[in-house]
Amino acid sequence: KDPTGRGERAWQIMRRLPITEGEHAGKRIGDTAPPWMPRLVRLIFGHTDQAGLRLLREAFVVVSKKNAKTTFASAIGMTSLLLEEEARGFVAMLAENRPQARIAFENMVAMVRADEELGERFQIVDHRHTLRYPRTGSRATAIAADMASLVGFNPSVGIVDELHLLGATPKGAALVNQIRTGSVARKEPLLCSFSTAPTDRSAGIFESTMAKARRVIAGEEIDPRFFGWLCLIPDGLDPEDPANWFWSNPSL
């Protein structure tokens, strides 16, 4: 349900964002997006109460590689700013280390530079890995866990690319928990975590979040503020058989 049309507005913004790399460079996200993308965007932003307040506080998504996961994560950050629903919003793009954080930042910058209207709306502060959005006084910043400080860390939206890598570091886990528990000053705090399934067992915050997602999906835990979507090949099926790849590749 999308009682206020907020989810649809979010998708109409995202679908116009430019694709800047790969075989579809030069097109818009909406030109080539597989069905899961608009469905997920409408859910994240449009699952609201009658007053229009977002009900979801955390979304956890596991998909395999080659599903445009990093680009989609960056587009979520851009969309949240362009919705213009919070003054002085702070979108934190979290990554394990500086090179990974740089990828997230460069994805957003590439979108801005590829679109004249976006270029007029955003200011790029390259040395701070920050995009400023003057219309609402908001910003999006790429943050590496190994360089971050918890002091004053109060994002309105936190986006994690590869939670199984970020969560393996003590500071990375602390940053995620800070978003979960420390953003009470924000009207509608949101944490979106994206990850590929690790090939080996991943402990820590990824494992606990995965366990929670399984409980919620199975109906063993009721948490209306949490959404989990696990695209995994079921146990007992051959992961090397192409006939089973659609389980972990929603874009197929």
Side-chain angles (χ1 to χ4, degrees), residues 27-238:
K27 298 181 180 179
R28 304 285 169 172
I29 287 178
D31 295 335
T32 62
W36 68 266
M37 285 190 180
R39 290 180 64 187
L40 190 55
V41 172
R42 290 183 177 115
L43 172 73
I44 290 173
F45 291 100
H47 187 45
T48 65
D49 61 21
Q50 293 300 322
L53 293 177
R54 186 174 53 243
L55 295 175
L56 284 181
R57 292 293 182 262
E58 181 169 355
F60 175 61
V61 177
V62 176
V63 298
S64 67
K65 296 179 179 180
K66 306 303 181 183
N67 277 283
K69 173 177 54 59
T70 300
T71 297
F72 182 72
S74 299
I76 286 284
M78 294 286 289
T79 298
S80 66
L81 292 175
L82 289 164
L83 276 170
E84 299 184 357
E85 294 184 324
E86 181 174 6
R88 299 186 66 188
F90 173 23
V91 177
M93 306 289 294
L94 303 177
E96 176 195 17
N97 51 46
R98 294 181 70 181
Q100 188 70 23
R102 185 75 193 184
I103 292 173
F105 175 69
E106 288 179 348
N107 275 342
M108 293 186 290
V109 166
M111 290 180 185
V112 170
R113 288 176 171 159
D115 185 278
E116 183 177 352
E117 184 177 353
L118 291 178
E120 294 174 351
R121 292 191 177 204
F122 285 91
Q123 295 175 351
I124 301 169
V125 187
D126 189 74
H127 68 285
R128 292 186 178 272
H129 292 182
T130 295
L131 281 179
R132 297 194 181 278
Y133 192 64
R135 287 172 65 142
T136 58
S138 302
R139 72 188 192 279
T141 303
I143 298 174
D146 56 1
M147 301 291 290
S149 170
L150 291 176
V151 178
F153 186 68
N154 184 33
S156 49
V157 177
I159 299 174
V160 180
D161 188 18
E162 300 296 9
L163 180 63
H164 69 283
L165 297 177
L166 180 76
T169 65
K171 185 172 275 190
L175 288 170
V176 173
N177 283 325
Q178 180 79 353
I179 296 174
R180 286 173 171 166
T181 62
S183 296
V184 292
R186 297 292 182 177
K187 185 178 180 180
E188 298 173 288
L190 175 67
L191 171 64
C192 292
S193 299
F194 301 89
S195 196
T196 53
T199 55
D200 55 350
R201 182 175 178 81
S202 180
I205 200 165
F206 176 86
E207 194 66 23
S208 63
T209 306
M210 175 75 86
K212 179 181 177 71
R214 292 186 186 277
R215 292 194 302 271
V216 170
I217 290 170
E220 298 167 358
E221 179 179 344
I222 304 301
D223 186 348
R225 296 190 171 196
F226 180 93
F227 173 75
W229 187 38
L230 309 180
C231 300
L232 302 169
I233 297 176
D235 294 339
L237 295 183
D238 181 5

Side-chain angles (χ1 to χ4, degrees), residues 4-24:
T4 64
R6 184 178 182 181
E8 182 59 31
R9 290 197 304 274
W11 171 242
Q12 291 305 317
I13 288 172
M14 184 182 287
R15 69 186 300 272
R16 292 179 174 87
L17 294 177
I19 300 171
T20 62
E21 62 181 357
E23 61 178 312
H24 298 303

